[in-house]
Every structure is written in C-alpha cells, then in structure tokens.
Amino acid sequence: MQGADIRAFIQDVARATGTTFIVDPRVQGTVNVNRSAPMSEQELLGVLLAVLRANGLVAVPAGAGAYRVVPDDTAAQQPGSAGGGAMGFATQVIPLRTVDARIAAETLKPLVGRGGVVLPMPQSNSLLVADYADNLRRIRELVAQVDSDRATIDTVTLRNSSAQEIAATVSRLFGIGGAEGGSAALSILPVESSNSIVVRGDAALIQRVTAMILELDRRAESSGDVRVVKLRHANAEQLLPVLQQLVGQSPEGAPSADRPASNAVDPAGAGAQVIAGTAGKRPTIVRYPGSNSIIINADPETQRTLLDVINQLDTRREQVLVEAIVVEISDEAAKELGVQFLLAGKDGRIPFTATQYPSSSVGIMPIAAGVAAGAPGEDDDGNPLLDAARTAALNSLLGLSGGLAGIAGSSGDAVFGMIINAVKSDTGSNLLSTPSILTLDNEEARILVGQEVPITTGEVLGDSNSNPFRTIQRQDVGVQLEVKPQVNSGGGITLFLRQEVSSIAGPVSSSLNELVLNKREIETRVQVDDGAIVVLGGLLDQTDRVTVDKIPGLGDIPLIGGLFRSTARRNDQRNLMVFIRPTVLRDAADAQRATSQRYDYIRDRQLQAQDPRQQRATLDALVQDYLRASPPVAPPVPLPAAPLPAPAPGSAEPPSSSTP
C-alpha cells in the first residue's frame, strides 16, 4: 500500500479482522505498508497499531470488539488503549525513594511521547506516568538507575572549634548551601548539641572534606587560649556580666575565693548554668570598651561554648515605632441674664435698697460706689476709701462679658439706678496631638514637646520685707510620651506606656497669680499586635449647670419677677480618647519605609505652605545641600508569589512550579 488514505487502511483492517473502528474526525494522513507474506488477524491488528502510532494516533477500546481511533495527545485522558504489548498505551505509578518527585518529573518530561504525561505526587513522593508501554518500560528503567543513593555519610566531631563556624567556612569553600537541597553533591550540616559536623556526598569528596575539617580543628588548638570577639550588635558592657556568670567569675573580674570556678554561681544571677572549664585553669572574661569587644581567656572547649552563646545573643535587635494619638473635643456653652437695681435717699429718709447676685459678672454696688466717689481731685486728701471705691468699680467693669445696659438718675430726694447684664457664649475646641518615638526592643524612651513653667513652691517675706525670697520649681508642660516595648515571639508587643498632655489654664483668680495646669495622663501596660491601633482609655464628660439667684418672693412673681432674679445656664461637654499604634521594624527596609512615609508627609506640608515659585521643599534642600545625601525613598514592596496554574483535565496533581 503506497500513499493510501489512513481511513481506507483502517476500513480494510476492519473487514479483514471483523473489528469495528470508530474514527475521530480529526484523523487524517496517508499510509505506506509493504508486506510480502500473508498475516494473521492478530498480526494485521499489530501493524495497524504501529501505523496509528507513527501518525500520532491511538486506538481506545469502546466496547466488545470495538475501538475508537483518536489523536494521541488525548490518550492520557482515555480509559485504556488497544493491543497491549509495546504498542498499547498504559498508565503507571512509580514510587521514588531518594529523588524528589518534582525534580524527577521535570527531568523525565522531555523523554515521554507527545501524548504522554508525567505528574509528580509530592504527598507520596511518586510519579504518575502515562505513555506507550515500550516507552513506559524504558522510563521505569531510567528511574530505577537514578533513584538510588550512592552517597556516603560521615560524622566529624570537633574538639577545639565551633561546628557552626567550621561548617559555614567549608560550605563557602566548596560553593554549596549546606542543607539546602537534599540532592546536592555535597551536604554539610553542623550539630551544635555534640559540636559535630555531618557530611554527605561522594566517597572521594567526603575524604577531602573530612581531612580539611580535622585540619582546621587542629589549627584551632594551637592558636592559643585567648580569643577576642568583636560584637556586631550587642553591648559588651551588658553582655559581660552574663558571660562572667556562666563561668563563675565575679563581676570584679576575679573568680570567687570561697568556691572553685568550675562549679561557682554568681549570687546576682541565681539559677544560671555554669560552664565547667579545664581542671586547674579558670576562665577569665573581660571587655574592651574602645571597640565593643569581649576578650576570653579559656581552654578551647570553654571558648567554643562561650562563642556559641555570644553568636546567639549578638543579633540585630528589633525596633518599635510607637505612635500615640490624643483626641479631645470639647464644647462649652453659657447663658446669663440678670437685672440689678439700686434705690436710696439723699437725706436718709428713703431706705437704701439694692439687688446684686453672685452669678453676675458685673455688680451694681461697685459701680455705684465708684460713681459716688467721683473723679480723683484735690479734695480727696488721699482718702483710701475713695481710691478703693474707684478701683472696685473699675475691676467690676473690666470683668464684663456680654452686654450691659442701665439707667441712673435722681428725683427729688431719691437716687435710683438699674443695670441689665446679658451674655451668651459658645466655645468649641478640637485638640489633636500625635507624638511618636522609635526605640529598641526592651529599651525605655521618652519624648517631650513643651515648655518648662515656673511654679512657686515657697515664699518668705521676713520682718518688714528685710530679706524676702521665693523658691520656684520648673515643671514640664506640653506633650510627653514614655514607652518601653517588649516584642514577643508570638507577634504581639507588651507595651509599658505613659502618655501626658498638659497645658496652662491661666491664673487661679484675678487676685492670685498662681497658675492652673490642665493635665491628661495615662499610665498603663497593654499588649498590642504589630501595626494594630487600640484605644488606651478616654473620658466622656457632660456637665449641665443652672444657677438662679433671686429675691425671695419677688423673684417668683409672674412677668415682673424677672426684675428681681438672675439666671445663668452652663453646659460643658468633653470627649477625650487616647489611641496607640506600635509597629515593629525588624530590618533596615522596615526602618527606611517608615522614615520615607513621614519624610514625604512633612515635605508635602512644606510645599503647601511655601512660595509656589520655589522648586524644592526646604527639607529637601537641607538634606541635599548640607547633608550631601538623598531624601529617603521607600524600598520596593516584594511581589506576592504567583498562584499555581489550574491542573489539566483528568490530571491527578497540578503542575509543579518553583518560586525563585
């Protein structure tokens, strides 16, 4: 058959073998078959399967004596294939012992046919492979050769060096990542509990690595008993007592005289574990403040233990940015209305009558006394009563608030006067302060923005003012924030906080110049999540006061009773809330991000306030021209990992993906 249509060839095989074939519309192509000897039905069916495979087709069982011919790119989704043997399409699960299923799947994908599928199953570390039987058998043989562990494992115990330090040195030397990737040619793992190093890899390579580790450990023994450790983050002054306590050394620098250094414990640190040194040699630890260094004089084993402790403590400490928000909204409303009158006779025949109420800011009696005293003249003869009357009238008028109207006159022997005082005031205030401070974990910090106000604490005039003196104490008035954060391993922050907002309310009274201070203070200990805003406390206060001063009986008369009474109403409302927001800055990127946000806020406010013709903000000009630096810029935010693609129809597992 030369150049025959594949559909016609399938029809000829169907007639010769009595088999039913259902041909998919996508089946196209030509066939070239040469055969000089007769064939049985089974052999003819095998030739058909070979021709179909050569044309990218496959026969799938569709019932008793019937097959469906479809393209082989959908063969993995079909329930089975015909013919068996090498020409059949099959699916198998291949378990793996040492090789990771994802890595093996990526390696075998180029080896399967066009319609074949290789899927990893990480849960059981197996491969799901669908392909022609002969190719499937070849893949299974390749997996058997690859999935075998020929590596050698060896353990090297160190006596003079730190396992972590030696492991890091050898790993960098051979260009590996230690425990990263179980299929690496060489793996090096430090075991700190036994100060050992476990190496895994080719036998010849293991011998070289082991010899190098032993050589480095031997050289450490001959390097001496004195070791200088330069600290990177920790404070040598704070770390020194801890290390001295571990080896039983007294804080003064010498071991305790009443007990040996091998089992001594500093009384200041009861319960601390003491490191035992070599018999006959007591370890000594001192610090050098000039370079923030620790000097250790001890045997190699004690040095190694102390270095492990130092490496775990000498880490970058977290910082906490504490932001407080104090909001106070108040509204004060007052109304006053009062009538006062005075009636008196010139010769005493008319009795003196007057009304005056304490709720009125202006009294009629001081004004009447001032009018009676008249203007200062030569006839006063320095009469102190006249001066006092004028001063009282003046002070009463200076205390006026609102409106004042009145009449005065005389009729015959009578002198009369009346004043009406009315006032309405409404005062609203909105106080907002946002102090913030940055501090290290477990370190106290304090910020104060305000003034030092003098407060009189004592005064002595002496006899006849012969030796007067006054003692004054200055008090901080303004916004104060004191914090001490503690970052917990669970993500929360335990925060000791003291927040104070104070201001000057004014003098006590017109006759007493001492100051009255307004003060809002919160001192508490709370636990807050990183970046969360919580309320620390607050006050919702409302005061309503109505004052009625009247003449008994006359003030209750309808209509005209208003002439004999004074009414004052006052309503005060205050809403005060204090919020806190701590943020943990774990690295330089977090600190730069927080700095850039606040820098941009201040710069934008400057640009709004300054002349639009200026090209740069004043803050930018100062940083660039004086500091010779660039303004802080927020670091880029890392992109989230891309979601895994949806699994193909009929597949057992989604395709593997690796995130760089």
Side-chain angles (χ1 to χ4, degrees), residues 322-335:
V322 181
E323 300 167 288
I325 302 177
V326 183
V327 184
E328 181 176 359
I329 304 173
S330 62
D331 187 10
E332 299 177 1
K335 292 181 180 180

Side-chain angles (χ1 to χ4, degrees), residues 111-150:
L111 301 180
V112 298
R114 190 183 66 163
V117 176
V118 178
L119 293 176
M121 295 187 293
Q123 293 83 356
S124 60
N125 197 36
S126 304
L127 292 177
L128 178 64
V129 185
D131 203 352
Y132 287 99
D134 56 350
N135 198 34
L136 191 61
R137 184 169 52 254
R138 181 173 65 96
I139 291 176
R140 193 167 52 248
E141 293 174 355
L142 292 176
V143 170
Q145 296 179 14
V146 174
D147 189 27
S148 60
D149 188 6
R150 300 183 179 89

Side-chain angles (χ1 to χ4, degrees), residues 346 350 409-416:
K346 296 180 179 180
I350 299 178
S410 61
S411 175
D413 295 335
V415 178
F416 62 89

